């Protein structure tokens, strides 16, 4: 029950009684000191002011168009504590939440187990989701208790109106679910944990269960995307990569760009959410092309050991995933051999430290950038190009720990030819706290573009890898976001800053090995 206080407060902004102290009567219970309106930035517009009980204390609550602020109401006693008393100051401390962190607001009712509607009004419940730290969210509930139905209804109306006016708040989402992901539990995860939250936030959804590989890609090329404010993908890294590919291709098609020759791609207007979703941010995307022809969009790639391992795993898809992964890794290590390549790269303008203590770390400078393309040639066991950290349960810090989602650069990591034991040590360090780059045969660069040209197309010792076509040239396997891409000649990879928006930033958790 809300404790009544003997003070008059106007529920309307700017009311004549707002911020005034009532006169003390000659008798009766102690009155309260209604504080002046909590300080609100001049850019905010006050919409409502009233009394609610919050966490068992009567509070003066002010609603502006961007924040909700409240401050406990202090009783007035004949012997009031001295100004500056620490305990008193703590109890009267103002608190607030920004309305951009509010994802739903509801009237709070007390109902019996059988009641679906009606009951006793208790007040208002606010559902808050705040960014606690990078890529982590914290949700909680704030109850504003007040027994006046008209008063609460007016506040709920204003709060909902503010939420609908936020431009980046989705109202309608297209949901794509891969039923084979998460041990075939993706649909259960969505309907059990995600759909209730979307309903609570009053977001409309259109759900499609994908039926085959490439289904999401085909759907996004053809459906009426203007009906939606965003796309939600429920699945693994392969699903996320396919949906991102479809969104970006659709943006090029809508802009009238020939998708065979994408030199400067346009940004997709629809954000992509990967369950679990959170705050929105922009992300960099890479284009992959060969001999001037566009191949695909992506976020990371491996050539050499990483590509060969995936290619071998794809030939043994009849095996269970974990067994297939282990078999392919061991088999590729047993026949480990370098690729003879020429690598051209354009250094990025911004310096990037991939990890402290890297012995061969290349710190890009402005003079490097002005020198334009740099060239490296030789025999390499593995080449990684990463625009995202690529975190997973086995590699919690990621393949490239300090890579960011939207800094306009890629990490180029080169493992030159070395002995098998030394290369294995390098791979094992990814799962430890030690520096995986601190080897004499490993070099790291911060780049904006990369061109990789194999130089042994006429080599006939292909081992497990077959020739394709009638020419003597072989297809070289690439691992792009966990998908196998086979290319005969040079591959040109270019990063495009902030090309699309993402709910939550969870592309950092994409793992190139997961699909093996």
């Amino acid at each position: 029950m809300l404790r009544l206080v003997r003070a008059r407060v106007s529920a309307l902004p700017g009311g004549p009684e707002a911020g005034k102290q009532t006169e003390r009567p000659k008798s009766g219970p102690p009155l309260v000191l209604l504080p002046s309106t909590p300080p609100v930035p001049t850019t905010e517009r006050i919409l409502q002011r009233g009394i609610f009980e919050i966490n068992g204390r009567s509070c003066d609550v002010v609603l502006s168009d961007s924040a909700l602020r409240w401050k406990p109401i202090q009783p007035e006693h004949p012997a009031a504590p001295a100004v500056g008393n620490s305990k008193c100051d703590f109890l009267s401390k103002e608190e607030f939440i920004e309305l951009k962190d509010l994802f739903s607001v509801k009237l709070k009712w007390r109902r019996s187990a059988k009641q679906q509607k009606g009951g006793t009004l208790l007040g208002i419940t606010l559902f808050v989701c705040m960014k606690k730290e990078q890529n982590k969210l914290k949700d909680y509930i704030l109850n504003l208790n007040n027994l006046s139905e008209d008063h609460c209804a007016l506040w709920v109306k204003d709060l909902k109106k503010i939420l609908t006016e936020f431009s980046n708040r989705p109202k309608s989402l297209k949901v794509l679910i891969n039923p084979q992901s998460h041990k075939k539990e993706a649909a259960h995860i969505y309907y059990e944990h995600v759909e209730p939250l979307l309903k609570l936030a009053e977001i409309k959804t259109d759900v499609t269960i994908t039926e085959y590989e490439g289904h999401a890609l085909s759907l996004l090329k053809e459906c009426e995307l203007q009906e939606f404010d965003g796309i939600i993908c429920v699945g693994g890294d392969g699903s996320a990569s396919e949906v991102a590919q479809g969104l970006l291709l659709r943006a090029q098609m809508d802009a009238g760009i020939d998708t065979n020759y994408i030199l400067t791609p346009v940004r997709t207007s629809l954000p992509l959410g990967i369950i679990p979703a959170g705050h929105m941010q922009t992300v960099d995307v890479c284009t992959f092309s060969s001999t001037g022809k566009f191949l695909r969009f992506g976020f990371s790639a491996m050539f050499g050991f990483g590509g060969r391992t995936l290619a071998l795993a794809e030939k043994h898809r009849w095996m269970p995933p974990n067994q297939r992964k282990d078999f392919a890794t061991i088999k590729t290590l047993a026949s480990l051999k370098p690729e003879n390549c020429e690598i051209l790269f354009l250094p990025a303008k911004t310096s990037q430290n991939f990890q402290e203590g890297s012995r061969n770390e290349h710190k890009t400078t402005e003079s490097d950038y002005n020198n334009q393309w740099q060239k490296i040639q030789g025999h390499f066991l593995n080449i990684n190009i990463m625009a995202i950290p690529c975190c997973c349960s086995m590699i919690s810090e990621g393949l490239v720990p300090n890579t960011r989602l939207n800094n306009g650069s890629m990490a180029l990591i080169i493992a030159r030819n070395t002995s098998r034991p030394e290369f294995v040590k390098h791979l094992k360090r990814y799962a430890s706290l030690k520096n995986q780059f601190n080897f004499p045969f490993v070099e790291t660069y911060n780049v904006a573009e990369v061109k990789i040209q194999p130089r042994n197309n006429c080599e006939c010792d292909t081992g497990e890898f077959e020739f394709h076509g009638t020419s003597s040239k072989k297809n070289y396997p690439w691992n792009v976001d966990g998908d196998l891409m086979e290319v005969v000649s040079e591959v040109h990879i270019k990063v495009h800053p902030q090309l699309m928006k993402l709910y939550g930033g969870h592309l950092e958790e994409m793992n190139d090995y997961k699909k093996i």
Side-chain angles (χ1 to χ4, degrees):
M1 180 68 69
L2 176 65
R3 179 170 60 84
L4 299 178
V5 293
R6 296 184 60 192
R8 292 184 300 160
V9 181
S10 171
L12 300 176
E17 304 297 329
K20 293 184 179 180
Q21 177 181 334
T22 57
E23 296 182 2
R24 184 185 302 172
K26 295 180 180 179
S27 62
L31 293 183
V32 298
L33 285 173
L34 184 61
S36 59
T37 304
V40 176
T42 55
T43 55
E44 294 184 18
R45 181 168 55 95
I46 296 178
L47 303 177
Q48 292 284 354
R49 187 185 183 195
I51 293 178
F52 289 89
E53 184 182 273
I54 301 176
N55 296 326
R57 305 198 68 191
S58 295
C59 296
D60 178 31
V61 185
V62 175
L63 173 66
S64 73
D65 52 8
S66 62
L68 183 79
R69 305 172 187 274
W70 66 93
K71 190 173 184 179
I73 300 172
Q74 297 298 312
E76 181 188 20
H77 295 288
V83 176
N85 182 288
S86 59
K87 182 177 180 180
C88 180
D89 291 344
F90 174 78
L91 293 175
S92 61
K93 183 180 179 181
E94 179 194 301
E95 297 183 73
F96 74 96
I97 58 171
E98 295 185 70
L99 297 185
K100 66 180 180 62
D101 295 326
L102 189 66
F103 73 88
S104 185
V105 55
K106 300 288 182 183
L107 288 172
K108 180 183 178 183
W109 300 88
R110 179 189 289 127
R111 297 187 176 113
S112 66
K114 296 182 179 180
Q115 277 185 296
Q116 297 295 324
K117 295 182 179 181
T120 303
L121 179 70
L122 300 178
I124 302 170
T125 298
L126 305 181
F127 300 86
V128 186
C129 187
M130 298 179 62
K131 188 172 183 180
K132 185 178 180 182
E133 55 186 273
Q134 184 177 355
N135 299 322
K136 291 186 179 180
L137 303 175
K138 178 183 179 181
D139 65 291
Y140 65 93
I141 291 175
L142 179 68
N143 290 313
L144 309 181
N145 297 324
N146 190 301
L147 303 182
S148 170
E149 188 168 343
D150 290 340
H151 186 58
C152 291
L154 187 60
W155 277 68
V156 169
K157 179 181 177 181
D158 282 347
L159 284 164
K160 287 190 173 183
K161 184 175 184 295
I162 294 170
L163 295 184
T164 59
E165 290 174 350
F166 284 128
S167 59
N168 63 347
R169 181 181 173 86
K171 300 177 180 64
S172 178
L173 296 172
K174 177 66 183 178
V175 180
L176 298 169
I177 302 175
N178 181 354
Q180 302 301 317
S181 295
H182 300 296
K183 299 179 181 179
K184 300 186 178 181
E185 293 182 351
H188 172 77
I189 290 173
Y190 173 76
Y191 289 113
E192 185 73 17
H193 301 288
V194 180
E195 187 183 53
L197 294 176
L198 297 178
K199 286 185 176 180
L200 183 64
E202 299 181 0
I203 298 175
K204 298 179 181 178
T205 57
D206 183 81
V207 180
T208 297
I209 307 291
T210 58
E211 299 175 0
Y212 52 87
E213 184 177 352
H215 187 183
L217 181 62
S218 300
L219 187 146
L220 290 171
K221 287 182 178 180
E222 300 172 0
C223 74
E224 300 294 332
L225 294 182
Q226 65 271 17
E227 300 177 6
F228 306 106
D229 300 311
I231 307 296
I232 296 295
C233 171
V234 187
D237 61 329
S239 302
S241 178
E242 182 179 326
V243 173
Q245 170 90 345
L247 268 177
L248 289 164
L249 281 176
R250 176 60 180 270
Q252 314 315 306
M253 293 165 60
D254 291 344
I257 297 176
D258 184 352
T259 55
N260 289 319
Y261 302 96
I262 302 176
L263 299 178
T264 306
V266 299
R267 180 183 299 176
T268 174
S269 59
L270 290 181
L272 168 62
I274 302 173
I275 300 301
H279 290 66
M280 190 187 300
Q281 66 174 311
T282 54
V283 294
D284 302 336
V285 182
C286 303
T287 52
F288 293 78
S289 58
S290 181
T291 61
K293 185 176 181 180
F294 172 78
L295 298 175
R296 60 168 291 162
F297 292 101
F299 300 93
S300 60
M302 297 180 183
F303 179 73
F305 173 77
R308 286 174 173 270
T309 302
L310 178 59
L312 184 56
E314 289 293 304
K315 295 178 180 293
H316 296 80
R317 294 196 67 84
W318 52 270
M319 293 183 178
N322 287 339
Q323 184 179 345
R324 181 169 71 239
K325 169 189 171 183
D326 294 340
F327 169 80
T329 302
I330 294 172
K331 187 79 172 178
T332 307
L333 282 173
S335 58
L336 186 66
K337 64 177 182 178
E339 294 286 1
N340 184 8
C341 297
E342 179 180 272
I343 304 174
L344 295 172
F345 65 88
L346 184 65
K349 289 184 177 180
T350 305
S351 179
Q352 173 86 23
N353 292 333
F354 300 128
Q355 188 167 331
E356 293 297 326
S358 176
R359 182 178 301 173
N360 295 285
E361 180 183 343
H362 178 98
K363 294 184 178 180
T364 305
T365 64
E366 188 66 29
S367 61
D368 290 329
Y369 187 81
N370 291 334
N371 287 335
Q372 299 300 313
W373 290 93
Q374 309 290 308
K375 182 168 73 172
I376 304 174
Q377 57 187 28
H379 291 77
F380 308 101
L381 291 177
N382 196 43
I383 302 172
N384 290 347
I385 303 99
M386 306 287 178
I388 58 176
C390 293
C391 304
C392 69
S393 58
M394 294 178 60
I395 312 173
S396 58
E397 297 298 321
L399 294 175
V400 194
N402 292 334
T403 302
R404 295 293 176 258
L405 292 176
N406 55 2
N407 66 350
S409 67
M410 303 177 291
L412 170 62
I413 306 167
I414 300 170
R416 290 184 178 269
N417 192 21
T418 188
S419 66
R420 184 181 295 108
E422 285 297 301
F423 184 67
V424 170
K425 286 181 183 179
H426 163 62
L427 296 180
K428 285 184 175 180
R429 283 206 185 170
Y430 279 105
S432 71
L433 298 177
K434 296 181 180 179
N435 190 337
Q436 63 266 38
F437 307 130
N438 193 21
F439 289 91
F441 58 88
V442 176
E443 301 171 16
T444 62
Y445 300 87
N446 189 36
V447 302
E449 294 184 53
V450 181
K451 296 179 181 179
I452 298 178
Q453 174 64 65
R455 302 175 66 189
N456 53 349
N457 276 331
C458 293
E459 182 184 279
C460 296
D461 180 15
T462 60
E464 290 270 352
F465 307 100
E466 301 175 357
F467 287 105
H468 298 275
T470 57
S471 72
S472 61
K473 293 186 177 182
K474 68 177 181 181
N475 282 338
Y476 288 87
W478 284 75
N479 182 335
V480 181
D481 296 339
D483 292 327
L484 180 62
M485 181 179 75
E486 295 181 303
V487 186
V488 172
S489 57
E490 173 190 274
V491 173
H492 180 194
I493 306 162
K494 182 178 180 179
V495 66
H496 299 272
Q498 303 180 11
L499 192 59
M500 70 182 302
K501 293 180 180 179
L502 176 71
Y503 288 122
H506 291 280
L507 272 177
E508 290 197 1
E509 297 179 0
M510 286 176 60
N511 171 27
D512 288 354
Y513 290 107
K514 195 177 297 179
K515 193 182 177 183
I516 294 177

